[in-house]
Amino acid sequence: MPTLLHLDSSAGGARSVSRALTAEFADAWLAAGPGREVVRRDLQADPPPHLPQADLHWPSELRRGSVDPAAEALQSTLVDELLAADALVIGVPLYNYSMPSTLKAWIDHIHVPGRTTSSTGAPPLAGRPVVLVVARGAIYDPGTPMADADHAVPPLRQILGDALGMDVHVVAVSRTLSDLLPLLHGEADAHRAEAEAARAQLAALARDLG
Ligand SMILES: Cc1cc2nc3c(=O)[nH]c(=O)nc-3n(C[C@H](O)[C@H](O)[C@H](O)COP(=O)(O)O)c2cc1C
């Protein structure tokens, strides 16, 4: 049965832009074909711990010591859930110019050289689609002062795309704080236009990604 793994990491609750968009994507993906299933993991409601031991980063043959069985069991749950997914959607709110620590903790658990990556052939997730739904409060348009200040998307591309071989799609909405910060008050229309464009992009991806 085709399975979508749906991850959220926003602490924004019902106001979260990324949560609304990942939910819309999941619904559209479910409707795009028969017999589909969505597995949901809310990294804010049920956060993985910070990686408790460096040895967990490595497959068993490369470890220099023993690991806590409970920590290893949680890591296996996260890795197995990822490996079982045919597609992934991840809500990525920009926090302090980077990804939320909950999402980073998930990445630290699932990036296991030799298990989710391969130095000898195609990694197990090669070619599987992952949609990053990025929500950012301020303005990151090319040519503006913070154009290069989003430090969430580059490491996610590096790990999920370059290391795990997944097919990374990024759908970003900025200016989400245009209703809150006086500095951004003139940006509300531009924000609405970005949100509409993101919805259209996500609908097309849900149809096309299979
Ligand atoms: C802890 C925290 C840090 C934030 N840091 C940034 C930031 O560095 N740059 C930015 O543009 N917006 C920042 N914001 C605003 C969020 O990116 C914005 O509210 C976004 O919409 C969050 O995603 P969400 O709507 O899915 O919750 C921050 C918000 C919080 C709560």
Side-chain angles (χ1 to χ4, degrees):
M1 176 183 301
T3 301
L4 173 73
L5 178 58
H6 172 182
L7 301 179
D8 280 308
S9 60
S10 166
R15 283 200 200 91
S16 162
V17 172
S18 62
R19 281 178 185 272
L21 291 173
T22 58
E24 242 179 81
F25 177 84
D27 287 347
W29 186 88
L30 263 182
R36 294 179 166 207
E37 137 179 91
V38 175
V39 172
R40 182 125 205 284
R41 181 168 285 278
D42 189 329
L43 299 170
Q44 166 66 22
D46 183 17
H50 293 142
L51 197 73
Q53 291 177 271
D55 270 326
L56 286 166
H57 181 57
W58 303 104
S60 49
E61 65 275 15
L62 290 180
R63 289 179 190 156
R64 286 180 283 207
S66 59
V67 295
D68 171 33
E72 188 175 32
L74 170 64
Q75 181 177 44
S76 287
T77 299
L78 298 177
V79 167
D80 291 347
E81 187 174 75
L82 172 64
L83 293 176
D86 299 286
L88 215 68
V89 62
I90 309 180
V92 186
L94 189 68
Y95 284 175
N96 293 305
Y97 305 101
S98 53
M99 72 184 88
S101 56
T102 51
L103 180 53
K104 178 61 165 49
W106 180 82
I107 289 284
D108 287 342
H109 278 81
I110 62 89
H111 181 202
V112 184
R115 185 154 178 219
T116 51
T117 74
S118 170
S119 54
T120 52
L125 290 158
R128 282 189 228 177
V130 50
V131 180
L132 305 178
V133 178
V134 184
R136 312 183 287 209
I139 300 174
Y140 296 85
D141 300 350
T144 58
M146 295 204 296
D148 299 321
D150 176 340
H151 301 293
V153 172
L156 289 169
R157 275 191 191 281
Q158 185 85 36
I159 301 297
L160 299 172
D162 296 353
L164 274 62
M166 300 185 80
D167 178 22
V168 180
H169 301 261
V170 178
V171 176
V173 176
S174 302
R175 301 168 163 85
T176 66
L177 296 177
S178 59
D179 61 341
L180 185 70
L181 298 184
L183 186 71
L184 292 171
H185 275 173
E187 300 293 334
D189 286 348
H191 166 61
R192 272 191 290 277
E194 280 190 63
E196 272 318 298
R199 281 201 184 88
Q201 249 182 297
L202 289 168
L205 284 169
R207 262 195 325 268
D208 297 345
L209 290 181

